[in-house]
Each structure stands twice: as C-alpha cells, then as structure tokens.
Amino acid sequence: MSILTLNEIYASGGQMPVICLTVTNAAIGTLRFVLAYEDMEIAGQTYRGASFTIQMPERSDSGFSDLSFSICGVNGECYHYIKQALGSNAPTYLTLTQYHPVSMAAVYQLTLTVIGGQITRERADFTASFCDMLNTEFPQLRYTAYNSPGLKYVA
C-alpha cells in the first residue's frame, strides 16, 4: 500500500497555488518566503519555507488599506535583517506573489510599503499599506448597478 499524497487526502483535490512573500529593502537586501514546509526554487530564486498569515484590512473611508503580515518561525538571520530593515531610512517593500502550481508562472502580484513592524522570538509582524487611488476596497469588489444589476430593485 502506498502513502497517500496531499492531493488524495484533500476532498477538493487539484493543485494548491504557491504563495510567496518577498521583503525588499534597497540598503539591506531581500528576504524570500514561501508558504510551505520546505525551501523551494522558483524563477531562479530560493524561497525559504515558512508559515505566514495575512490579516485583511478593516473597511473604512480613510483612503488607505493596511494589511498585517505575520511570519512565524523566523531564524536569527531573518531577525537581524528585519531589525535592520525596520530601522533603516530606505523604504521596505513587501511583495505577495501567487504562482501557478504546475507552470510556476506568476498569476498575481501585490507590492505594498511596510509602514511598521514588531519582532518577537517566535515571529515577525509587519503592517504594510498602499493608497486606495481607484476607490476600490481591498479585497472585496465594490457592488454597482453595472456589475450587479439586481441592486436597482433593492431599496
């Protein structure tokens, strides 16, 4: 009897997308993480296997949408990098990229500016932001009469 793969265990089946998180500071360098148990080579770059979470922003009319990222299990090198990046004058950018599981082509990419952070022994927490220039709410679609015709009958 063979050992079941994750695709056989999950009821939905299919391949899961590869989610990567890249922290970039021009003065210090780049850190790359992939949401996986082991390190991966993607597009010629080595990504460290890590566990990270993304907290979606609150709904407000401030014009800014802040996302909170937590990277769990950071090692000493990551700790040192993040401490330097948060204290440097050069801007730090956080890029969230989703890759296709088979072709490893980038499907979606979002780049945000890091505006704050906190480091503990267990994890690194970031707050990243981008300006809401087009009056769209992240991550939800703004419903209008054009994309949701049934709205004109409500009210």
Side-chain angles (χ1 to χ4, degrees):
M1 181 174 166
S2 65
I3 298 174
L4 296 176
T5 63
L6 286 177
N7 289 336
E8 293 170 329
I9 293 170
Y10 287 125
S12 60
Q15 297 278 335
M16 298 295 291
V18 178
I19 309 292
C20 296
L21 192 64
T22 306
V23 183
T24 306
N25 187 308
I28 301 168
T30 304
L31 278 180
R32 294 178 181 88
F33 299 99
V34 62
L35 188 59
Y37 294 110
E38 55 193 29
D39 296 350
M40 295 178 76
E41 185 82 20
I42 302 171
Q45 303 291 335
T46 302
Y47 288 83
R48 294 180 186 186
S51 149
F52 53 85
T53 61
I54 304 168
Q55 179 183 358
M56 297 303 173
E58 64 182 35
R59 295 178 65 129
S60 68
D61 58 354
S62 66
F64 292 93
S65 296
D66 295 342
L67 289 130
S68 297
F69 295 87
S70 291
I71 304 171
C72 299
V74 293
N75 59 13
E77 182 184 350
C78 298
Y79 179 85
H80 182 65
Y81 173 90
I82 292 166
K83 192 170 184 174
Q84 282 185 338
L86 293 176
S88 73
N89 292 334
T92 303
Y93 298 103
L94 206 126
T95 304
L96 181 69
T97 310
Q98 178 179 341
Y99 290 99
H100 189 272
V102 177
S103 66
M104 287 301 182
V107 176
Y108 178 76
Q109 187 169 7
L110 178 67
T111 302
L112 304 147
T113 305
V114 174
I115 59 173
Q118 182 179 0
I119 306 168
T120 63
R121 251 188 257 166
E122 296 85 23
R123 66 176 193 238
D125 297 327
F126 293 100
T127 301
S129 177
F130 64 95
C131 187
D132 187 9
M133 303 291 255
L134 301 175
N135 195 24
T136 56
E137 294 177 338
F138 182 83
Q140 299 170 353
L141 173 70
R142 183 177 293 276
Y143 294 105
T144 63
Y146 179 74
N147 62 11
S148 301
L151 283 179
K152 59 186 171 185
Y153 300 110
V154 178

